[in-house]
Amino acid sequence: METPAAIELLGLTRRFGAATAVDHLELVVPRGELFGLVGPDGAGKTTTLRMLAGILTPTEGDARVAGQSVRAAPEAVKSRIAYMSQRFGLYGDLTVLENLHFYADVFEVPRRARPARIARLLGFANLAPFGDRLADRLSGGMKQKLGLACALIHAPEILLLDEPTNGVDPVSRRDFWQILYQMLEEGVTIFMTTAYLDEAERCSRVGLIHAGRLRAVDAPARLKQRLGGDLVEVVVSDAWRARDVLGGEDAARRVTLFGQRIHVAVDDAGRDLPRLLAALASAGIEAGEPRRIAPSLEDVFIELAAGRPDEAGPAPAA
């Protein structure tokens, strides 16, 4: 009997020589979820996705994707998923339609099913007017949408996307997400990596990964509630100096630059802010009226990456 989970990571680990890229990941992704793996370059996102796609063999541990072991049965995994890498293999000298037919051949899509499926994917991607255009003549955003359409041609159960909207224009990003939402409505499970925290807000749950380790897993709203304490924004005359000054104050848990604004995490704003503002004044730095703000996912990630791991640990699957 197949597991009800779409994806399970079971101590999933990958080393390259002495370097550990992915470090004993444990995670359950239910069917029909949109899960986002979020982290900076080099955090282990792509390596994780390549193991889930059956392309890279784990050094230790395992993962089960659509009930199949990526270690024991990688080919069985590949038949159940679509994997869209950062450099999806479109053929520039083929047209949009020819690329779709090529991938339909690769995935052995029955010929009777192709016309309706291709027409539907072209409609989703807003590419119907461009069927005869060479792929090399498409914009970056259109290429990404074509890549997604090609990846979906065989109606996979699980979609693995590696930073799919990196460098894509805002209109194409919107179209891309509309396609993903339609896939979710049809029961497809989506596991994506992203460095865009605004995109992570769209996910059912996100996993924050840093240096190969999952620091927290939860719904975006719940992750932001976990920080505790208060987050305060202050406009200052010299943000760089202000960061250095406040960084030396015990009352400031974390200080982050946002242009000429700084975000300061404290345990208690009423108690701690007067001391911090006094430190700025003593350094000759002018500060506007501070205001409490709701933390963003970026605030959460910076705090966790700075060595304040979530004591509650990863949340269970919803």
Side-chain angles (χ1 to χ4, degrees):
M1 181 178 296
E2 288 192 0
T3 172
I7 300 171
E8 294 178 275
L9 278 59
L10 309 167
L12 190 66
T13 302
R14 177 68 195 199
R15 301 185 187 92
F16 296 96
T20 301
V22 174
D23 192 359
H24 294 89
L25 301 190
E26 297 279 346
L27 178 69
V28 175
V29 177
R31 294 184 184 275
E33 181 171 76
L34 169 54
F35 185 88
L37 188 63
V38 182
D41 291 344
K45 303 189 301 297
T46 295
T47 300
T48 299
L49 215 60
R50 287 172 61 83
M51 287 191 284
L52 294 180
I55 296 170
L56 195 62
T57 302
T59 305
E60 187 179 332
D62 199 358
R64 296 185 67 81
V65 178
Q68 303 294 324
S69 164
V70 301
R71 179 185 288 278
E75 294 306 314
V77 168
K78 293 174 186 177
S79 67
R80 310 281 289 275
I81 67 167
Y83 169 54
M84 185 175 168
S85 67
Q86 293 180 36
R87 294 179 178 84
F88 188 80
L90 293 175
Y91 292 87
D93 57 346
L94 298 181
T95 67
V96 168
L97 281 171
E98 287 169 342
N99 270 281
L100 285 165
H101 281 290
F102 172 80
Y103 278 99
D105 287 338
V106 169
F107 290 116
E108 299 181 344
V109 176
R111 291 196 174 273
R112 286 178 298 178
R114 294 185 189 186
R117 194 172 296 183
I118 288 174
R120 183 165 172 266
L121 290 170
L122 288 174
F124 280 164
N126 289 327
L127 290 173
F130 307 100
D132 294 329
R133 182 174 294 186
L134 293 177
D136 267 350
R137 294 183 59 197
L138 299 175
S139 68
M142 292 169 73
K143 285 180 180 177
Q144 287 296 89
K145 290 188 290 183
L146 176 57
L148 180 59
C150 290
L152 293 170
I153 193 68
H154 62 302
E157 300 172 40
I158 298 171
L159 185 55
L160 305 177
L161 304 173
D162 194 7
E163 299 196 17
T165 60
N166 187 26
V168 172
D169 66 271
V171 173
S172 293
R173 282 181 74 185
R174 181 198 62 199
D175 291 344
F176 200 95
W177 275 96
Q178 287 176 344
I179 300 170
L180 297 188
Y181 289 143
Q182 182 63 42
M183 294 298 100
L184 285 173
E185 289 178 5
E186 296 178 7
V188 175
T189 304
I190 301 173
F191 188 111
M192 67 179 293
T193 71
T194 182
Y196 295 133
L197 291 170
D198 62 320
E199 288 196 337
E201 296 270 8
R202 301 170 181 250
C203 296
S204 311
R205 289 188 305 149
V206 296
L208 302 181
I209 187 170
H210 181 67
R213 300 186 64 190
L214 272 177
R215 299 304 179 102
V217 178
D218 212 332
R222 288 200 293 265
L223 277 175
K224 289 183 284 189
Q225 292 170 358
R226 290 184 179 197
L227 276 184
D230 295 317
L231 185 65
V232 179
E233 181 179 86
V234 186
V235 178
V236 293
S237 58
D238 188 332
W240 289 95
R241 284 188 59 224
R243 185 190 64 173
D244 293 340
V245 169
L246 296 183
E249 296 288 327
D250 291 339
R253 284 188 351 207
R254 174 178 48 80
V255 184
T256 309
L257 292 179
F258 289 84
Q260 285 302 305
R261 297 168 294 129
I262 54 174
H263 287 188
V264 187
V266 295
D267 290 326
D268 186 319
R271 180 194 67 203
D272 299 327
L273 266 183
R275 187 177 0 162
L276 298 178
L277 292 174
L280 291 176
S282 296
I285 299 171
E286 297 179 7
E289 186 68 25
R291 65 184 187 96
R292 295 188 188 184
I293 59 173
S296 66
L297 271 183
E298 185 170 0
D299 292 307
V300 176
F301 184 80
I302 291 171
E303 180 121 338
L304 295 175
R308 300 177 66 90
D310 187 338
E311 294 179 359

